[in-house]
Amino acid sequence: MIIMIVIGFVCSKGNKNNEDYFLGGRNLGSWTAAMSAQASDMSGWLLMGLPGAVYLAGTGEAWIAVGLLIGTILNWYIVSARLRKYTIVAGNSLTIPSFFKNRYRDHKNIIKIVSASIIAVFFTVYTASAFSSGAKLFATLFSDSASGDENYNRVYVIGLIVAAVVILVYTFMGGFKAVCTTDLIQGLMMIVAILTVPVLAYAILTFDTSFSSALAAKGVEQPAQFLNFFVNGDGTPVSAVSIISNLAWGLGYFGMPHILVRFMSIEKPSMIKKSSIVAIIWVVISLFSAVMIAYFGRMIMGEELLTHGNQKLVFIAMSRKFFPAGICGLLLAAIIAASISTADSQLLVASSSFTADLYKPFFRKGASEKETLLVGRVLVLVLSLIAFAIANSKGSGAQAIMDMVENAWGAFGSSFGPTILLSLFWKRFNYKGAVAGVVSGFVVDLGWLLSGLTASTGVYEIVPGFIVSFLAAYLVARFTEAPNAEAVAIFAEAT
């Protein structure tokens, strides 16, 4: 954490204007862009949520990982290069709302206001989930279990304060360059940690027994089914609705601002190919290792963690079991790295959207670079305080963390995903179609969630949200006037 703050201080010296602070001057290298995109994507869910779900119910829970892998690959190969070119051509756009406005020459600023508002609200919620994930690690490691829930909650709040302060300090000072540089370090920590634990577990398990025997010895009644993607841990088949909903997580990538902004900030479009290879290899290794942690953990820990939601602590439990304290501490620091690498990116994107897309256009049109830079930093502080309050009010439960992530991911994917894709690939797409896509996706996604349909049907809200958004955007654009000459010219130049 001290190293992260030092990086923030060093990077602060290079922030002379908004482009420096919010996009790092558009000079990210291939490795930094790739690692930053993926580290800010995965968060503490990679080391706690995914292994916990598979540990509890078998590999049938891993479809979400498959969906995320497919979404990552498509996002890098379909969206990244074209978006990088487009944001330069479309008025040197610094944010996704600015890209929408410049792409369609939206002089009324409707799509800009709507998009910036969605980003500011849901990224604050998303940031709260990352704060909470880091604080949960503190509470798990340092609370006295014999003292009960009161002690656990007290340590949770202390951990929440520590995580929030560290993230705030280096993001406030260093901006995008600090965020991406720390993400590179955090991404490397995550990949080392998530590989080390299952590799050692594999070596131990194959020393004197088979996988099936190890599972059976730890209480798994149907060992052969535990690694079956189409069967739950209790032997029941994984439903088609569950598979579709989990795969649909991949759709979120097309509308995820904190990932898309990495594409916009790469130094040259020609560097994207190398970045995509690095990013995809990182994701394949990380997701596969997370599933293996759960699989091997179930063989070694048995039913020990299947109480009170403790299955999400399987990575922590195995690190403590296999490694001496010093090495274990470094491995567990990867959970903090995963959490803050996501929170810092989201804080900065939310701040940039408010500053560049709302404050300067509507409140202070004549604001100088120095003033908007100051406002951006102040917004990082304000949004951190709000995220802290949300994380504290939601409590330390793992389900609360996952709920916040699911809600924000669904909202972004439904609101922005279809409009981003159509904006980049359809010459006939127009301003009215873009507004219809963003608004309809947001309304349907939120309505599906708040009406209880997500819980009652088992269908993740991003599925209906994305479908309705895409259809609304396409149909409105198809049956309204063609885009103006400026928009057509921008499309031709970018493609």
Side-chain angles (χ1 to χ4, degrees), residues 8 13 18 57 94 158 179 219 255 277 279 292 298 316 326 329 349 355 358 372 383 419 449 455-456 475:
K13 298 178 180 179
N18 284 333
L94 300 181
I158 294 172
V179 165
I277 294 172
M292 289 300 100
R298 190 67 173 84
I316 297 174
V349 171
T355 304
L358 296 177
T372 52
L383 294 173
T419 300
L449 173 67
S456 62
L475 292 173

Side-chain angles (χ1 to χ4, degrees), residues 69-138:
L69 174 59
I70 294 171
T72 298
I73 294 172
L74 292 177
N75 210 27
W76 274 101
Y77 278 101
I78 294 177
V79 174
S80 59
R82 186 161 291 203
L83 181 62
R84 175 63 178 84
K85 295 177 184 176
Y86 227 131
T87 49
I88 292 295
V89 173
N92 194 28
S93 307
L94 300 181
T95 65
I96 294 300
S98 293
F99 164 67
F100 286 149
K101 171 185 166 58
N102 295 338
R103 166 73 170 83
Y104 302 106
R105 293 298 187 259
D106 172 23
H107 301 297
K108 296 179 181 179
N109 288 305
I110 294 174
I111 194 168
K112 191 174 186 179
I113 295 171
V114 172
S115 301
S117 300
I118 291 172
I119 288 173
V121 171
F122 279 95
F123 261 153
T124 306
V125 175
Y126 210 151
T127 301
S129 73
F131 282 3
S132 185
S133 182
K136 184 173 176 62
L137 174 66
F138 271 90

